[in-house]
């Protein structure tokens, strides 16, 4: 195979034309990267001019030009990039056009650096020796950023590279695992030497010490790491400073022509150093030592795999690696200026938007909009920096205009739970108010779960939703104890208008058999819900409460609790009712002795009630009661005490008793278990469960809710407690919203269900 021209990597399949006869011959791969000065034609080393003589092949902004030295079995790879001054000038027009389109040079330059880094990374995976050529006599520390970026890339790409290499049948397992044939050795070439330097060898050693110190401090190289991007030799020279003067290109061409002419008249090229001077101190000898070591014993700079591949292996593997690199996107680690600018703008942007929105409520004029936009732009301009300023200033203006014109001109009508209407202010009466908030709730009996909209009227909140859901559940047909509601005498009825000082009144009432009977209005109904101070002659249009019987008491098993199949949404271990042993009193049939009075006093202290001395304890009955709380997400749980959530192991005996909750004020709102780590999710007391005993006793319910300190007390009826049937499972569903004729009461931590809900007395058969 006669190699006379260079090639563009990775188009090197033609190298395999005679690979079958050379598959056992091992090659060394030498790559040259770096920057070049003006008028150097993009060549990193002067001696390479004989190999890379086809500038027309360098069509892209970043290319790898290759040359195969068949005689010495060496592949040379040379990078041409926009970091080469001549190449930059050649592509200046296209770069200017890109900058005009994006209005940002640094963003375009980040793309240039990213392309260069990916090219470098490819060479570090397919080379044995990498030469970093620099046009000056000082080390360019900008390479540290490239090295750091490539280290970060390796952590992400090694698995993909190994997978791609595994598809190449001729490679060994060690190569596949390492992702490359060797950890490349890096050597540095400086084209110039300071004029004041007389001892070049000493100067080279000083530069080596500096480079080694920088690479160690930045942790680019470490001989203790399992993987290193590259290595430098410990006991060998790795820096070469050229002592040649300014290049005499015409003289070099003549000398190369003379030295290349043989007696037979044929011109032969001895790559790569046929044009080197006779000076024994030249880069040819310097590089030859490293190549010779690679061929003899390999590099032992780090404890890593080292292999000299055949030409076939190298071509197949390098094409596979190049395919992986082609899929790699932009490298953000190199976009230092752009990233700083973007992060700074992103930090200032919300502050500027907040400045615009500060104290803005409802609709506002274009004058206010322009004034506020000016304030926001001034704040942004004072604190934002860098190339991303123009992009984010436009984004700021767009966000402020969108805030004004579209999404932020709110109707602002509050729902009964306190959420503002998100409809446009001009949405009209034909479009209902909506906050966009949805909650999860269950029906009257607690067995059917459904989604509910944030309510804007009390009837939807306390009646319509539960009526529809209970109808779907079927519990609407279950046995119920109805609460009194308004019954019109005709179609001409209206809501009553109450005086500001109107309270409980006995007007329109008459006495019968010593009892006060109230004549209810049939033309006016009570605005709002029933309270203890509501006029007795007015009833609500509908009941906000419900009292439903699920069936016999045997439906509840104290060992199993409330099954999630029938009662969805309960947190585990909280779905149990509390046992409550109640002492039933009866009138004494004989004179009460002193001992009985003492015993009676003792029982009274336990019950926290003052019992008349003519009543004595007769027998005890067991009830099961539960105070159920429900959060907006549909989670449910019982309380074991006013300040404690019930926790009971499945199948075990509930240790908590019902006496404490039965005889205490219970909070109307309690933090749900789903509150952890997020916005507080508050559950509301929605149901009271009662399983009545079979004994001949009357169990009565008299719920009274005070939704805020000093607020009126809400009740389902003014007719007294509701009597429950024996041996049955009853559920009292409380209102979702508490509203009077004057006020809607939002969530309040002082809201209480007042004590005295339950009363248990012996049945009187007389």
């Amino acid at each position: 195979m006669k190699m006379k021209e260079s090639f563009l990597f990775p188009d090197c399949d033609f190298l395999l034309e005679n690979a079958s006869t050379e598959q056992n011959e091992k090659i060394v791969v030498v790559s040259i990267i770096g920057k070049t000065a003006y008028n150097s034609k993009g060549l990193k080393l002067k001696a390479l001019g004989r190999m890379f003589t086809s500038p027309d092949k360098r069509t892209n902004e970043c290319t790898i030009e290759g040359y195969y030295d068949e005689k010495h079995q060496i592949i040379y790879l040379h990078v041409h990039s926009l970091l080469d001054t001549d190449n930059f000038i050649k592509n200046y027009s296209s770069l200017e056009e890109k900058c005009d389109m994006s209005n940002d040079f640094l963003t375009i330059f980040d793309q240039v650096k990213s392309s260069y880094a990916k090219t470098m990374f490819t060479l570090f995976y397919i080379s044995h020796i990498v030469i970093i050529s620099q046009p000056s006599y000082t080390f360019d520390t900008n390479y540290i950023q490239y090295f750091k970026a490539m280290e970060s890339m390796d952590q992400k790409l090694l698995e993909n590279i190994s997978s791609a290499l595994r598809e190449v049948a001729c490679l060994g397992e060690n190569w596949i695992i390492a992702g490359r044939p060797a950890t490349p050795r890096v050597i540095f070439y400086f084209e110039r030497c300071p004029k004041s330097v007389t001892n070049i060898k000493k100067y080279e050693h000083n530069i080596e010490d500096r480079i080694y110190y920088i690479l160690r401090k930045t942790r680019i190289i470490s001989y203790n790491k399992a993987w290193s991007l590259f290595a430098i030799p410990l006991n060998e020279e790795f820096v070469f400073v050229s002592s040649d003067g300014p290049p005499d290109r015409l003289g070099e061409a003549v000398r190369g022509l003379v030295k290349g002419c043989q007696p037979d008249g044929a011109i032969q090229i001895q790559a790569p150093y046929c044009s080197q001077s006779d000076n024994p101190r030249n880069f040819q000898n310097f590089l030859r030592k490293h190549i010779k070591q690679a061929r003899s014993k390999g590099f032992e700079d780090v404890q890593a795999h080292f292999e000299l591949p055949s030409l076939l292996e190298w071509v197949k593997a390098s094409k596979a690696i190049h395919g992986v690199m082609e899929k790699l996107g932009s490298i953000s680690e190199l976009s230092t200026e752009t990233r700083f600018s973007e992060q700074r703008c992103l930090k200032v942007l919300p502050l500027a938007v907040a400045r615009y929105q500060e104290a803005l409520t409802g609709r506002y004029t274009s004058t206010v909009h322009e004034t506020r936009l000016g304030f926001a732009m001034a704040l942004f301009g004072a604190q934002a920096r860098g190339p991303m300023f123009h992009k984010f200033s436009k984004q700021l203006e767009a966000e402020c205009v969108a805030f004004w014109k579209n999404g932020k001109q709110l109707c602002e009508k509050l729902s009964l739970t306190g959420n503002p209407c998100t409809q446009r202010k001009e949405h009209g009466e034909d479009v209902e108010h909506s906050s966009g908030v949805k909650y999860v709730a269950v029906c009257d009996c607690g067995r059917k779960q459904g989604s509910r909209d944030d309510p804007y009227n009390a009837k939807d909140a306390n009646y319509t939703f539960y009526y529809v859901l209970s109808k779907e559940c079927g519990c609407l047909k279950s046995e119920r104890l109805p609460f009194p509601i308004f019954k019109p005498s005709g179609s001409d009825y209206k809501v009553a208008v109450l005086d500001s000082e109107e309270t409980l009144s006995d007007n329109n009432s008459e006495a019968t058999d010593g009892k006060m009977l109230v004549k209810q209005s049939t033309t006016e109904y009570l605005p709002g819900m029933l309270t203890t101070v509501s006029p007795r002659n007015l009833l609500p249009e509908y009941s906000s409460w419900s009292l439903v019987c699920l069936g016999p008491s045997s439906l509840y098993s104290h060992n199993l609790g409330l099954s999630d199949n029938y009662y969805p949404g309960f947190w585990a271990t909280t779905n149990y009712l509390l046992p409550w042993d109640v002492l039933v009193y009866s009138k004494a049939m004989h004179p009460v002795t002193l001992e009985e009075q003492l015993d009676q006093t003792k029982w009274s202290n336990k019950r926290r009630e003052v019992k008349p001395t003519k009543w004595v304890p007769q027998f005890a009955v067991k009830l099961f009661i539960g105070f159920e709380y429900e959060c907006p997400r549909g989670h449910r749980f019982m309380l074991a005490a006013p300040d404690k959530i019930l926790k009971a192991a499945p199948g075990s005996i509930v240790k908590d008793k019902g006496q404490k909750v039965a005889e205490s004020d219970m909070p109307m709102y309690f933090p749900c278990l789903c509150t952890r780590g997020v916005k507080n999710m508050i559950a509301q007391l929605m149901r009271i469960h009662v399983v009545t005993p079979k004994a001949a006793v009357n169990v009565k319910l008299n719920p009274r809710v005070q939704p805020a300190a000093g607020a009126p007390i809400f009740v389902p009826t003014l007719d007294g407690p509701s009597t429950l049937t024996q041996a049955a499972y009853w559920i009292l569903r409380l209102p979702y919203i508490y509203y009077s004729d004057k006020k809607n009461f939002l969530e309040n931590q002082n809201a209480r269900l007042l004590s005295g809900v339950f009363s248990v007395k012996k049945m009187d058969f007389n």
Side-chain angles (χ1 to χ4, degrees), residues 411-415 419-425 427-436 453-457:
C411 167
E412 298 184 41
K413 173 71 174 179
L414 293 179
S415 70
N419 297 310
C421 175
T422 57
Q423 301 282 4
R424 301 181 65 87
K425 193 167 185 177
H427 62 73
E429 296 182 358
D430 55 329
V431 178
E432 295 183 353
H433 293 295
S434 173
S435 67
D453 294 325
D454 194 14
Y456 272 83
N457 68 77

Side-chain angles (χ1 to χ4, degrees), residues 283-439:
F283 190 68
Q284 175 186 11
N285 297 330
F286 180 81
L287 179 60
R288 185 183 296 120
K289 295 178 182 179
H290 295 279
I291 295 176
K292 183 178 179 181
Q293 183 179 351
R295 287 200 177 278
S296 58
K297 61 179 181 179
F299 299 143
E300 299 177 352
D301 305 330
V302 292
Q303 298 296 324
H305 172 67
F306 186 90
E307 177 180 346
L308 293 180
S310 66
L311 182 61
L312 173 63
E313 293 172 336
W314 182 84
V315 170
K316 297 291 186 182
S318 60
K319 290 178 69 68
I321 293 174
H322 181 267
V324 175
M325 297 300 176
E326 284 289 296
K327 300 176 183 178
L328 186 63
S330 179
I331 305 174
S332 60
E333 289 82 358
L334 292 173
S335 307
T336 306
E337 297 85 357
T338 305
R339 280 193 300 152
F340 168 78
S341 177
E342 183 177 18
Q343 292 172 1
R344 184 62 187 170
C345 292
L346 285 173
K347 184 177 181 179
V348 178
L349 181 63
L351 300 178
V353 173
R355 180 69 180 90
Y356 171 84
Q357 298 177 0
E358 185 178 359
L360 284 178
T361 58
R363 300 177 66 185
Y364 49 94
T365 65
S366 59
T367 303
V368 175
H369 164 71
E370 294 294 338
T371 303
R372 289 304 185 93
L373 182 60
F375 292 158
M377 285 295 185
L379 175 63
F380 187 78
Q383 300 189 31
R385 294 289 184 274
M388 304 301 288
F389 174 84
H390 297 289
K391 174 185 176 181
F392 282 94
S393 62
K394 293 180 180 179
Q395 181 177 341
L396 170 61
E397 182 178 1
E399 288 189 20
C400 293
V401 171
F403 182 90
W404 175 54
K405 288 186 175 181
N406 299 319
K408 301 301 180 181
Q409 292 182 332
L410 301 180
C411 167
E412 298 184 41
K413 173 71 174 179
L414 293 179
S415 70
L416 295 180
T417 60
N419 297 310
C421 175
T422 57
Q423 301 282 4
R424 301 181 65 87
K425 193 167 185 177
E426 300 82 5
H427 62 73
E429 296 182 358
D430 55 329
V431 178
E432 295 183 353
H433 293 295
S434 173
S435 67
V437 179
K438 288 186 176 293
Y439 303 115

Side-chain angles (χ1 to χ4, degrees), residues 454-710:
D454 194 14
Y456 272 83
N457 68 77
K459 188 171 184 179
D460 287 343
N462 289 343
Y463 177 77
T464 305
F465 170 78
Y466 293 106
Y467 178 85
V468 173
L469 196 59
S470 296
K471 189 174 182 180
E472 294 178 7
C473 171
C475 64
L476 196 64
K477 299 180 181 180
S478 300
E479 179 185 354
R480 292 172 177 259
L481 288 182
F483 295 112
I485 59 174
F486 169 70
K487 296 180 180 179
S489 57
S491 59
D492 186 16
Y493 60 90
K494 61 182 180 178
V495 61
V497 179
L498 303 181
D499 296 334
S500 58
E501 298 180 357
E502 187 169 358
T503 58
L504 185 148
S505 173
D506 287 336
N507 295 336
N508 299 321
S509 62
E510 57 184 20
T512 304
D513 297 332
K515 297 181 179 180
M516 189 66 66
L517 299 180
V518 180
K519 184 178 180 181
Q520 304 292 345
S521 173
T522 58
T523 57
E524 293 182 331
Y525 59 87
L526 180 70
M529 294 171 57
L530 196 64
T531 68
T532 54
V533 295
S534 298
R536 289 189 175 274
N537 64 317
L538 295 178
L539 291 175
E541 185 182 14
Y542 53 87
S543 177
S544 298
W545 312 64
S546 77
L547 184 54
V548 57
C549 179
L550 300 187
S553 58
S554 59
L555 290 176
Y556 177 73
S557 170
H558 195 46
N559 291 330
L560 302 177
L562 303 176
S563 171
D564 191 58
N565 295 330
Y566 295 99
Y567 301 92
F570 270 100
W571 288 103
T573 75
T574 69
N575 55 336
Y576 289 85
L577 304 183
L578 297 176
W580 181 29
D581 294 321
V582 182
L583 193 62
V584 180
Y585 288 79
S586 64
K587 292 182 179 181
M589 302 303 295
H590 55 80
V592 180
T593 64
L594 179 61
E595 290 78 4
E596 291 174 333
Q597 292 181 13
L598 293 175
D599 290 341
Q600 183 177 344
T601 303
K602 186 185 301 183
W603 284 109
S604 298
N605 290 336
K606 289 184 178 180
R607 293 275 299 161
R608 301 180 186 177
E609 298 178 5
V610 180
K611 295 293 180 180
T613 56
K614 63 180 180 179
W615 290 86
V616 295
Q618 186 173 5
F619 59 89
V621 294
K622 183 184 291 291
L623 283 75
F624 292 94
I625 61 175
F627 290 83
E628 177 195 325
Y629 290 75
E630 182 179 88
C631 89
R633 294 176 177 172
H635 300 141
R636 305 161 69 186
F637 56 88
M638 302 285 188
L639 287 192
D643 58 351
K644 176 185 174 184
I645 295 179
L646 174 65
K647 291 184 180 180
S652 64
I653 299 176
V654 178
K655 297 180 180 180
D656 297 288
K657 302 299 181 182
Q659 182 174 351
K660 190 169 185 179
V661 295
E663 298 177 357
S664 304
D665 290 350
M666 296 297 291
M668 288 300 299
Y669 303 96
F670 200 88
C672 183
L673 293 175
C674 65
T675 297
R676 294 187 297 267
V678 296
K679 178 183 177 182
N680 286 346
M681 196 60 62
I682 303 299
Q684 179 179 344
L685 176 60
M686 288 304 303
R687 285 166 197 81
I688 299 176
H689 297 243
V690 185
V691 178
T692 59
K694 296 180 181 179
V697 293
N698 286 327
V699 178
K700 298 184 179 182
L701 293 183
N702 185 29
R704 297 173 302 146
V705 174
Q706 190 173 32

Side-chain angles (χ1 to χ4, degrees), residues 50-61:
R50 292 286 181 154
M51 290 189 295
F52 305 110
T53 57
S54 303
D56 294 338
K57 293 183 178 181
R58 309 163 198 166
T59 56
N60 297 327
E61 296 174 356

